[in-house]
Coordinates of all heavy atoms in Angstrom, one line a residue:
E243 N 95.8 -103.3 -99.7 CA 97.1 -103.9 -100.2 C 97.9 -102.8 -100.9 O 99.1 -102.8 -100.8 CB 96.8 -105.1 -101.0 CG 96.3 -106.3 -100.3 CD 96.0 -107.5 -101.2 OE1 96.2 -107.3 -102.4 OE2 95.5 -108.5 -100.7
A244 N 97.2 -102.0 -101.7 CA 97.9 -101.0 -102.6 C 97.8 -99.6 -102.0 O 98.0 -98.6 -102.7 CB 97.3 -101.1 -104.0
W245 N 97.5 -99.4 -100.8 CA 97.3 -98.1 -100.2 C 98.6 -97.3 -100.3 O 98.5 -96.0 -100.5 CB 96.8 -98.2 -98.8 CG 96.3 -96.9 -98.2 CD1 97.0 -96.0 -97.4 CD2 95.1 -96.3 -98.4 NE1 96.3 -94.9 -97.1 CE2 95.1 -95.0 -97.8 CE3 93.9 -96.6 -99.2 CZ2 94.0 -94.2 -97.8 CZ3 92.9 -95.8 -99.1 CH2 92.9 -94.5 -98.5
D246 N 99.7 -97.9 -100.0 CA 100.9 -97.1 -100.0 C 101.5 -96.8 -101.4 O 102.5 -96.1 -101.5 CB 102.0 -97.9 -99.2 CG 101.6 -98.1 -97.7 OD1 100.8 -97.2 -97.2 OD2 101.9 -99.1 -97.1
D247 N 100.9 -97.4 -102.4 CA 101.3 -97.1 -103.8 C 100.2 -96.4 -104.5 O 99.2 -97.0 -105.0 CB 101.6 -98.5 -104.5 CG 102.2 -98.2 -105.9 OD1 102.3 -97.1 -106.3 OD2 102.5 -99.3 -106.5
P248 N 100.2 -95.0 -104.6 CA 99.1 -94.2 -105.1 C 98.8 -94.6 -106.6 O 97.6 -94.7 -106.9 CB 99.7 -92.8 -105.1 CG 100.6 -92.8 -103.9 CD 101.3 -94.1 -104.0
A249 N 99.8 -94.9 -107.4 CA 99.5 -95.2 -108.8 C 98.7 -96.5 -108.9 O 97.7 -96.7 -109.6 CB 100.8 -95.3 -109.6
R250 N 99.2 -97.5 -108.1 CA 98.5 -98.8 -108.1 C 97.1 -98.7 -107.5 O 96.1 -99.3 -108.0 CB 99.3 -99.8 -107.3 CG 98.7 -101.2 -107.4 CD 99.6 -102.1 -106.5 NE 98.9 -103.4 -106.4 CZ 99.3 -104.4 -105.5 NH1 100.3 -104.1 -104.7 NH2 98.6 -105.5 -105.4
R251 N 97.0 -97.9 -106.4 CA 95.7 -97.6 -105.8 C 94.7 -97.0 -106.7 O 93.5 -97.4 -106.8 CB 95.9 -96.8 -104.5 CG 94.7 -96.5 -103.7 CD 95.0 -95.5 -102.6 NE 95.5 -94.2 -103.3 CZ 96.1 -93.3 -102.6 NH1 96.4 -93.4 -101.3 NH2 96.5 -92.1 -103.2
D252 N 95.2 -95.9 -107.5 CA 94.3 -95.3 -108.4 C 93.9 -96.2 -109.6 O 92.8 -96.2 -110.1 CB 95.0 -94.0 -109.0 CG 95.2 -92.9 -107.9 OD1 94.6 -93.1 -106.8 OD2 95.9 -92.0 -108.2
A253 N 94.8 -97.1 -110.0 CA 94.5 -98.0 -111.0 C 93.4 -99.0 -110.6 O 92.5 -99.4 -111.4 CB 95.7 -98.8 -111.4
I254 N 93.4 -99.4 -109.3 CA 92.4 -100.3 -108.8 C 91.1 -99.6 -108.8 O 90.0 -100.2 -109.2 CB 92.8 -100.8 -107.4 CG1 94.0 -101.7 -107.5 CG2 91.6 -101.5 -106.7 CD1 94.5 -102.2 -106.1
V255 N 91.0 -98.3 -108.4 CA 89.8 -97.6 -108.4 C 89.2 -97.5 -109.8 O 88.0 -97.7 -110.0 CB 90.0 -96.2 -107.8 CG1 88.8 -95.3 -108.0 CG2 90.4 -96.3 -106.3
H256 N 90.0 -97.1 -110.8 CA 89.5 -97.0 -112.1 C 89.1 -98.4 -112.7 O 88.1 -98.4 -113.5 CB 90.6 -96.4 -113.0 CG 90.8 -94.9 -112.8 ND1 89.9 -94.0 -113.3 CD2 91.7 -94.2 -112.1 CE1 90.3 -92.8 -112.9 NE2 91.4 -92.9 -112.2
S257 N 89.8 -99.4 -112.3 CA 89.4 -100.8 -112.8 C 88.0 -101.2 -112.2 O 87.2 -101.7 -112.9 CB 90.5 -101.8 -112.3 OG 90.1 -103.1 -112.7
V258 N 87.8 -100.9 -110.9 CA 86.5 -101.2 -110.3 C 85.4 -100.4 -111.0 O 84.3 -100.9 -111.3 CB 86.5 -100.9 -108.8 CG1 85.1 -101.0 -108.2 CG2 87.5 -101.9 -108.1
A259 N 85.6 -99.1 -111.2 CA 84.6 -98.3 -111.9 C 84.3 -98.8 -113.3 O 83.1 -98.8 -113.7 CB 85.1 -96.8 -111.9
R260 N 85.3 -99.2 -114.0 CA 85.1 -99.7 -115.4 C 84.4 -101.0 -115.4 O 83.5 -101.2 -116.2 CB 86.5 -99.7 -116.1 CG 86.3 -100.2 -117.6 CD 87.7 -100.1 -118.2 NE 88.6 -101.1 -117.6 CZ 89.6 -100.7 -116.8 NH1 89.8 -99.4 -116.6 NH2 90.5 -101.5 -116.3
D261 N 84.9 -101.9 -114.5 CA 84.3 -103.3 -114.6 C 82.9 -103.3 -114.0 O 82.0 -104.1 -114.5 CB 85.2 -104.2 -113.8 CG 86.6 -104.4 -114.4 OD1 86.7 -104.1 -115.6 OD2 87.5 -104.9 -113.7
L262 N 82.6 -102.6 -113.0 CA 81.2 -102.6 -112.4 C 80.3 -101.5 -113.0 O 79.1 -101.4 -112.6 CB 81.3 -102.4 -110.9 CG 82.1 -103.5 -110.1 CD1 82.1 -103.2 -108.6 CD2 81.6 -104.9 -110.4
D263 N 80.8 -100.7 -113.9 CA 80.0 -99.6 -114.5 C 79.4 -98.7 -113.4 O 78.2 -98.5 -113.4 CB 78.9 -100.2 -115.4 CG 78.3 -99.2 -116.2 OD1 78.9 -98.1 -116.4 OD2 77.1 -99.4 -116.7
V264 N 80.3 -98.3 -112.5 CA 79.8 -97.4 -111.4 C 80.8 -96.2 -111.3 O 81.9 -96.3 -111.9 CB 79.7 -98.1 -110.1 CG1 78.6 -99.1 -110.1 CG2 81.0 -98.8 -109.7
D265 N 80.4 -95.2 -110.6 CA 81.4 -94.1 -110.3 C 81.9 -94.3 -108.9 O 81.2 -94.6 -107.9 CB 80.6 -92.7 -110.3 CG 80.1 -92.4 -111.7 OD1 80.8 -92.8 -112.7 OD2 79.0 -91.8 -111.8
V266 N 83.2 -94.2 -108.8 CA 83.9 -94.6 -107.5 C 84.7 -93.3 -107.0 O 85.3 -92.6 -107.8 CB 84.9 -95.8 -107.7 CG1 85.5 -96.1 -106.3 CG2 84.1 -97.0 -108.2
E267 N 84.6 -93.1 -105.7 CA 85.5 -92.1 -105.1 C 86.1 -92.7 -103.8 O 85.5 -93.5 -103.1 CB 84.6 -90.8 -104.7 CG 83.6 -91.1 -103.7 CD 82.8 -89.8 -103.3 OE1 82.8 -88.9 -104.2 OE2 82.3 -89.7 -102.2
L268 N 87.4 -92.3 -103.6 CA 88.2 -92.8 -102.5 C 88.6 -91.6 -101.7 O 89.2 -90.6 -102.2 CB 89.4 -93.5 -103.0 CG 90.3 -94.2 -102.0 CD1 89.6 -95.2 -101.2 CD2 91.5 -94.8 -102.7
R269 N 88.4 -91.7 -100.4 CA 88.8 -90.7 -99.4 C 89.7 -91.3 -98.3 O 89.5 -92.5 -98.0 CB 87.6 -90.0 -98.8 CG 86.7 -89.3 -99.8 CD 85.5 -88.6 -99.1 NE 84.6 -88.0 -100.1 CZ 84.8 -86.7 -100.4 NH1 85.7 -86.0 -99.9 NH2 84.0 -86.2 -101.3
D270 N 90.6 -90.5 -97.7 CA 91.4 -91.0 -96.7 C 90.6 -91.0 -95.3 O 89.5 -90.6 -95.3 CB 92.7 -90.2 -96.6 CG 92.5 -88.7 -96.3 OD1 91.4 -88.4 -96.0 OD2 93.5 -88.0 -96.5
A271 N 91.3 -91.3 -94.3 CA 90.7 -91.4 -93.0 C 90.2 -90.0 -92.5 O 89.2 -89.9 -91.8 CB 91.7 -91.9 -91.9
S272 N 90.8 -88.9 -93.0 CA 90.3 -87.6 -92.6 C 89.2 -87.1 -93.4 O 88.6 -86.0 -93.2 CB 91.5 -86.6 -92.6 OG 92.0 -86.5 -94.0
G273 N 88.8 -87.8 -94.5 CA 87.8 -87.4 -95.4 C 88.2 -86.6 -96.6 O 87.4 -86.2 -97.4
A274 N 89.5 -86.5 -96.8 CA 90.0 -85.8 -97.9 C 89.9 -86.7 -99.2 O 90.2 -87.9 -99.1 CB 91.5 -85.4 -97.7
L275 N 89.5 -86.1 -100.3 CA 89.3 -86.8 -101.5 C 90.7 -87.2 -102.1 O 91.5 -86.3 -102.3 CB 88.5 -86.0 -102.5 CG 88.2 -86.7 -103.9 CD1 87.3 -87.9 -103.7 CD2 87.6 -85.7 -104.8
L276 N 90.8 -88.5 -102.4 CA 92.1 -89.0 -103.0 C 91.9 -89.2 -104.5 O 92.8 -88.8 -105.3 CB 92.5 -90.3 -102.4 CG 92.8 -90.2 -100.9 CD1 93.2 -91.5 -100.3 CD2 93.9 -89.2 -100.6
V277 N 90.8 -89.8 -105.0 CA 90.6 -90.0 -106.4 C 89.1 -90.2 -106.6 O 88.3 -90.7 -105.8 CB 91.3 -91.3 -106.8 CG1 90.8 -92.5 -106.1 CG2 91.2 -91.5 -108.4
R278 N 88.6 -89.7 -107.8 CA 87.2 -89.8 -108.1 C 87.1 -90.1 -109.6 O 87.8 -89.4 -110.4 CB 86.4 -88.5 -107.8 CG 85.0 -88.6 -108.2 CD 84.3 -87.2 -108.0 NE 84.2 -86.9 -106.5 CZ 84.2 -85.7 -106.1 NH1 84.3 -84.6 -106.9 NH2 84.1 -85.4 -104.8
T279 N 86.2 -91.0 -110.0 CA 86.1 -91.4 -111.4 C 84.9 -90.8 -112.1 O 84.7 -91.0 -113.3 CB 86.0 -92.9 -111.6 OG1 84.8 -93.4 -110.9 CG2 87.2 -93.6 -111.0
G280 N 84.1 -90.0 -111.4 CA 82.9 -89.4 -112.0 C 82.4 -88.3 -111.1 O 83.1 -87.8 -110.2
P281 N 81.1 -88.0 -111.3 CA 80.5 -87.0 -110.4 C 80.5 -87.4 -109.0 O 80.6 -88.6 -108.6 CB 79.1 -86.8 -111.0 CG 79.1 -87.4 -112.3 CD 80.2 -88.5 -112.3
P282 N 80.3 -86.5 -108.0 CA 80.3 -86.8 -106.6 C 79.2 -87.7 -106.3 O 78.1 -87.6 -106.9 CB 80.2 -85.5 -105.9 CG 80.6 -84.4 -106.9 CD 80.3 -85.0 -108.3
C283 N 79.4 -88.7 -105.4 CA 78.4 -89.6 -104.9 C 77.7 -89.0 -103.7 O 78.4 -88.6 -102.7 CB 79.0 -90.9 -104.5 SG 79.6 -91.9 -105.9
H284 N 76.4 -88.8 -103.9 CA 75.6 -88.2 -102.8 C 74.7 -89.2 -102.2 O 75.1 -90.0 -101.3 CB 74.9 -87.0 -103.3 CG 75.8 -85.9 -103.8 ND1 76.6 -85.2 -102.9 CD2 76.0 -85.4 -105.0 CE1 77.3 -84.3 -103.6 NE2 76.9 -84.4 -104.9
A285 N 73.4 -89.2 -102.6 CA 72.5 -90.1 -102.0 C 72.2 -91.4 -102.8 O 71.4 -92.2 -102.5 CB 71.1 -89.4 -101.8

């Protein structure tokens, strides 16, 4: 819903990371990193 609004999209990512106590990263369809709240997620 908020994909076209980067500010709102980033706020949702940080809200999820804070509420669920996890590190979140968001990438676009090509795999480019859009936003990350912590260290990279690997395994």
Side-chain angles (χ1 to χ4, degrees):
E243 293 176 358
W245 189 263
D246 297 331
D247 186 353
R250 184 183 172 193
R251 182 187 61 196
D252 293 349
I254 293 175
V255 170
H256 286 284
S257 176
V258 170
R260 183 177 60 255
D261 295 341
L262 299 182
D263 192 21
V264 293
D265 297 328
V266 181
E267 65 178 23
L268 181 64
R269 298 177 181 272
D270 60 13
S272 63
L275 180 65
L276 298 178
V277 62
R278 178 186 292 154
T279 63
C283 291
H284 297 293

